[in-house]
Amino acid sequence: MGHRALIFDSGMGGLSVTEHIRAHMPGLSLTYVADDMFRPYGTKSAAALRARLPGLLATLEIATRPDIIVLACNTASVTALEDIRAAVHAPVVGVVPAVKPAALTSRTRTLAVLGTPGTVKRKYVDDLIENFAGDCRVLLQGSTALVALAEDKMSGRGVDMDILRREVAPLFEGRFGADIDTVVLACTHFPLLIDELKQISRQTVNWIDSGEAIARRVTSLLSDMPENRRMEPPDCALLIGPDAEPARRKVFAQYGFENVVGLYPSKKI
Ligand code: DGL
């Protein structure tokens, strides 16, 4: 008895949001879905994401019967949130770049938004900046390699620090780089690399992500919903792709998902 949430991402990035949701609602039943076969989302066109995601989420809703859906992916949220909401019945909480809290706290009024290439070029993000950070200088940086590095880390392969440096350096080495005091981690994969990011950054910055705010929003929406009377099945991670290798399975278990099922066990990606 209780509530069930579906947490969806292109990969393991949504675990950075899951951590906050579990801390706020330890009793909440969770289904996690990783769209491994279609990752990275950050390089896909808006049209391709809008063609795939509403139908996929509608199917997952029928299969897993959540009370709430957390679209734990900035790229999907800034591209297809409304299309997904129109396709499902449950409320959908999208994860979008934390530009507002960043603008509220930056003292230098110089922020960076580090997201996927798809996220940083969407109008949704331009609007967030215009509405909430109009008096700030906002530097946008897109990276796909960081998504792969986070997946590597979560699959026990270690993080290539040279690639990490190469991807983040242009931000700080650019014309206004020295003024940046706040970096918005605008991809749910990036908080998974926070220790490594801190290690390579030459200046002290406030790294901000949306995980905590999302957990508060989910808690508040569920508190207004009647609890269901079903016996919930155990928490489970469904991978739209092959089975997880042992190291990846172990990480899922650390986040509370003992059951990990690859929907295409023999596929190579
Ligand atoms: N984790 C996703 C995000 O928040 C996307 C990563 C990707 O597949 O490019 O944007």
Side-chain angles (χ1 to χ4, degrees):
M1 268 194 18
H3 292 121
R4 182 164 204 88
L6 167 63
I7 301 183
F8 179 89
D9 181 39
S10 64
M12 299 181 89
L15 292 176
S16 70
V17 179
T18 302
E19 190 173 357
H20 292 280
I21 292 177
R22 285 218 189 270
H24 277 251
M25 285 159 290
L28 180 64
S29 299
L30 299 180
T31 309
Y32 188 96
V33 177
D35 192 6
D36 287 332
M37 268 166 50
F38 209 63
R39 192 181 60 252
Y41 279 9
T43 54
K44 304 288 188 299
S45 69
L49 292 171
R50 288 189 192 122
R52 179 177 182 81
L53 295 175
L56 177 56
L57 268 300
T59 306
L60 292 170
E61 179 180 44
I62 292 165
T64 66
R65 299 166 74 199
D67 298 290
I68 197 162
I69 297 172
V70 182
L71 196 56
C73 173
N74 290 258
T75 313
S77 301
V78 300
T79 308
L81 188 55
E82 291 316 316
D83 311 70
I84 292 167
R85 282 193 172 132
V88 301
H89 297 91
V92 182
V93 177
V95 175
V96 301
V99 171
K100 188 177 175 184
L104 286 173
T105 51
S106 168
R107 277 185 290 130
T108 59
R109 314 311 289 151
T110 305
L111 320 172
V113 175
L114 184 61
T116 67
T119 294
V120 298
K121 67 178 182 227
R122 295 285 186 264
K123 183 174 180 305
Y124 196 111
V125 174
D126 294 339
D127 292 346
L128 280 178
I129 293 169
E130 194 180 313
N131 293 334
F132 301 113
D135 67 331
C136 295
R137 177 171 284 123
V138 182
L139 309 169
L140 299 170
Q141 171 92 5
S143 170
T144 303
L146 289 183
V147 175
L149 291 186
E151 289 288 332
D152 282 349
K153 178 177 177 183
M154 304 306 265
S155 297
R157 288 192 286 272
V159 175
D160 186 324
M161 297 301 276
D162 290 334
I163 299 180
L164 188 77
R165 254 183 229 106
R166 193 190 67 205
E167 291 295 302
V168 178
L171 259 189
F172 296 110
E173 284 164 10
R175 183 147 162 244
F176 300 105
D179 298 335
I180 296 171
D181 70 348
T182 308
V183 179
V184 178
L185 296 175
C187 169
T188 53
H189 278 80
F190 299 171
L192 302 172
L193 295 170
I194 190 66
D195 293 338
E196 290 79 4
L197 287 167
K198 285 183 177 163
Q199 209 177 309
I200 57 134
S201 66
R202 296 199 210 137
Q203 62 211 60
T204 307
V205 293
N206 190 11
W207 305 89
I208 297 190
D209 67 73
S210 312
E212 171 68 25
I214 296 303
R216 274 190 265 114
R217 178 82 185 127
V218 171
T219 308
S220 139
L221 286 172
L222 287 177
S223 70
D224 291 336
M225 277 184 217
E227 296 195 0
N228 65 51
R229 300 194 172 278
R230 304 188 296 261
M231 278 294 290
E232 292 292 350
D235 290 354
C236 172
L238 300 177
L239 312 178
I240 304 177
D243 266 331
E245 58 260 55
R248 203 176 186 219
R249 204 170 265 283
K250 198 165 145 198
V251 172
F252 271 115
Q254 284 161 1
Y255 283 83
F257 300 99
E258 299 285 346
N259 303 296
V260 185
V261 181
L263 298 182
Y264 299 91
S266 55
K267 194 116 187 157
K268 290 266 169 295
I269 52 168

